[in-house]
Amino acid sequence: MKEILDAILASDTTAADFAALPIPESYRAVTIHKDEADMFAGVPSRDKDPRKSLHLEDVPVPELGPGEALVAVMASSVNYNSVWTSIFEPVSTFGFLERYGKLSPLTARHDLPYHVIGSDLAGVVLRTGPGVNKWKPGDEVVAHCLSVELESADGHNDTMLDPEQRIWGFETNFGGLAEIALVKSNQLMPKPDHLTWEEAAAPGLVNSTAYRQLVSRNGAGMKQGDNVLIWGASGGLGSYATQFALAGGANPICVVSSPQKAGICRSMGAEAIIDRNAEDYRFWKDEHTQDPREWKRFGKRIRELTDGEDVDIVFEHPGRETFGASVYVTRKGGTIVTCASTSGYNHEYDNRYLWMSLKRIVGSHFANYREAWEANRLIAKGKIHPTLSKTYRLDETGQAAYDVHRNLHQGKVGVLALAPQEGMGVRDRELRDKHLPAINRFRNV
């Protein structure tokens, strides 16, 4: 790996030089083990500790297949799916790998007793398989996490509808929390030149998810002037939704849980902010009963911030805890768009407020290649900025996942893989200097 890193750090390494580099037999990767899938049985979710389940170990470099690329990973990041994988919730990911492995002799590579996790990366292409023409060794890239086979007609209007659609590093093996990753070539996108490796690795999954959910016609189709209620507006996902709303001429109403997080939203340019803890919203009377009076109090507070208007769009991802309130406060004809259920998958709401007011609930999951490309393009142009707050070493990934699991973080947390230190990989200093305060916004909290 040293020879690969030296070539990346050198300023004069050519594509031919990268193509001539020997690929090592093994590499360091963050894994979970199949024989430990029951290690947290009976333990409450909150008390499950990723530091106990995540391992850093040497694993063999996988065989390179058609349409694929091997990438030297300079940096990656931790997403909630990495946390779910590490605590084996809601199911063990080895079931995903087993099903994928049955698809073909090539996909059988993924069905292993260990799972290399991680759904983000920034790095350098080392090798490409047969049929790859757009990318070559030495290209500096980031990767989005959509893995598709595209052998069915279903996926050719929107690749997210492909019946063999999977999330790389979660439902497939050989993910980005490692020194080398295996990806499909249609996951690759150009690395933004003004960002460091760790900054470039941070936006991929969450930025693309927020773009589809809020901006794309496949999601809410946000337009200028829309009032957009954003739950967790300073978090890994919500911070990008807040930026998209502001950049698109909409009015974000940012829901946060502390004065510190409210300050982050203000620093992004948001003005309408609700600290749900300070205002003590309790949408559930008990485990089984919601409180519509709290929905109404919440709606009244929103109208105080919007000159009497209800919200056009609700950017939903908490799920069970907030969904009843989200449906209630949406304007007549408005849209609730949901991409996750971090507080529970069984949503409950009063359907009268949906059907009689002609509201829509739209499901949204990650993004197709075009949407991910557009989201990355906005990063590369300095229109949207990474929300990286802290970076860990590869051998500290367990701690990074623990911090995300316990919500001890802001924005996104990065992980250095091959990069020996932070701050490396910048190619466009002029653009970086122009946007440096925004790039560092979450670091300076």
Side-chain angles (χ1 to χ4, degrees), residues 49 59 63 80 84 97 114 119 129 143 150 154 169 178 225 228 234 262 335 341 383-384 393 415 425:
D49 191 340
V59 298
E63 174 192 355
Y80 275 100
W84 299 333
L97 303 185
Y114 61 87
S119 299
L150 287 181
D154 294 356
V228 183
S234 70
T335 301
S341 297
K383 303 294 185 183
I384 303 295
R393 299 188 311 269
V415 175

Side-chain angles (χ1 to χ4, degrees), residues 372-406:
W373 189 280
E374 288 297 320
N376 184 64
R377 176 172 171 266
L378 291 170
I379 295 279
K381 286 182 171 292
K383 303 294 185 183
I384 303 295
H385 305 288
T387 61
L388 185 69
S389 61
K390 188 176 181 180
T391 303
Y392 299 75
R393 299 188 311 269
L394 197 61
D395 62 3
E396 298 173 319
T397 302
Q399 184 65 50
Y402 176 85
D403 289 353
V404 174
H405 181 38
R406 299 302 294 268

Side-chain angles (χ1 to χ4, degrees), residues 343-361:
S343 68
Y345 300 103
N346 293 317
H347 298 186
E348 295 181 20
Y349 61 92
D350 189 329
N351 198 41
R352 292 172 297 178
Y353 297 115
L354 188 82
W355 105 68
M356 295 180 71
S357 294
L358 306 176
K359 302 175 186 181
R360 298 186 306 148
I361 296 174

Side-chain angles (χ1 to χ4, degrees), residues 18 71 90 103 190 197 200 221 226 243 268 275 304 371 378 399 419:
F18 277 106
V71 180
L103 190 64
W197 294 112
D226 277 347
Q243 291 186 73
M268 287 190 282
D275 183 338
E304 290 173 355
E371 291 160 342
L378 291 170
Q399 184 65 50

Side-chain angles (χ1 to χ4, degrees), residues 6-297:
D6 288 344
I8 294 172
L9 298 181
S11 59
D12 57 351
T13 311
T14 66
D17 294 332
F18 277 106
L21 285 172
I23 301 298
E25 293 184 358
S26 64
Y27 64 103
R28 294 193 309 158
V30 175
T31 66
I32 58 169
H33 293 172
K34 191 172 187 176
D35 62 5
E36 295 179 344
D38 295 325
M39 68 184 300
F40 296 127
V43 178
S45 291
R46 179 176 172 80
D47 296 333
K48 295 178 181 179
D49 191 340
R51 294 172 297 187
K52 297 179 179 179
S53 58
L54 293 178
H55 306 274
L56 180 62
E57 60 186 331
D58 284 346
V59 298
V61 174
E63 174 192 355
L64 182 63
E68 295 180 339
L70 283 176
V71 180
V73 182
M74 295 298 281
S76 184
S77 75
V78 173
N79 293 289
Y80 275 100
N81 70 2
S82 302
V83 175
W84 299 333
T85 302
S86 71
I87 63 175
F88 306 100
E89 285 192 7
V91 295
S92 166
T93 55
F94 288 101
F96 301 144
L97 303 185
E98 290 167 8
R99 286 191 291 275
Y100 191 34
K102 294 175 182 176
L103 190 64
S104 73
L106 197 62
T107 64
R109 295 169 301 165
H110 292 258
D111 184 8
L112 296 168
Y114 61 87
H115 185 183
V116 181
I117 72 169
S119 299
D120 280 322
L121 71 73
V124 177
V125 175
L126 295 176
R127 293 285 191 278
T128 58
V132 178
N133 302 303
K134 182 177 178 62
W135 306 99
K136 63 182 184 301
D139 285 343
E140 296 186 352
V141 295
V142 294
H144 69 78
C145 64
L146 174 62
S147 174
V148 289
E149 305 304 313
L150 287 181
E151 292 186 305
S152 168
D154 294 356
H156 281 263
N157 186 44
D158 177 5
T159 49
M160 285 303 301
L161 299 179
D162 189 281
E164 298 296 340
Q165 173 268 319
R166 293 173 175 84
I167 299 300
W168 159 72
F170 177 59
E171 295 168 299
T172 76
N173 218 323
F174 315 122
L177 285 164
E179 293 176 333
I180 289 177
L182 179 72
V183 298
K184 293 181 182 296
S185 64
N186 58 14
Q187 290 177 240
L188 297 177
M189 304 180 293
K191 174 191 171 290
D193 286 340
H194 68 297
L195 298 181
T196 65
W197 294 112
E198 63 274 11
E199 291 162 356
L205 186 150
V206 284
N207 185 46
S208 301
T209 299
Y211 182 92
R212 179 182 175 105
Q213 188 176 357
L214 192 57
V215 180
S216 169
R217 289 173 292 181
N218 291 314
M222 184 191 73
K223 64 183 186 301
Q224 289 181 330
D226 277 347
N227 291 310
V228 183
L229 181 70
I230 301 172
W231 293 102
S234 70
L237 186 63
S239 57
Y240 288 99
T242 300
Q243 291 186 73
F244 282 128
L246 291 166
N251 174 38
I253 298 92
C254 298
V255 185
V256 296
S257 58
S258 71
Q260 182 185 40
K261 293 178 179 180
I264 293 174
C265 293
R266 290 191 184 95
S267 73
M268 287 190 282
E271 298 177 356
I273 299 170
I274 297 174
D275 183 338
R276 59 178 301 194
N277 284 347
E279 299 183 29
D280 197 28
Y281 292 104
R282 298 178 183 269
F283 299 129
W284 290 80
K285 295 178 182 179
D286 55 48
E287 184 180 352
H288 305 289
T289 311
Q290 296 195 65
D291 189 349
R293 293 174 301 178
E294 287 291 89
W295 300 348
K296 294 176 182 178
R297 184 166 74 94

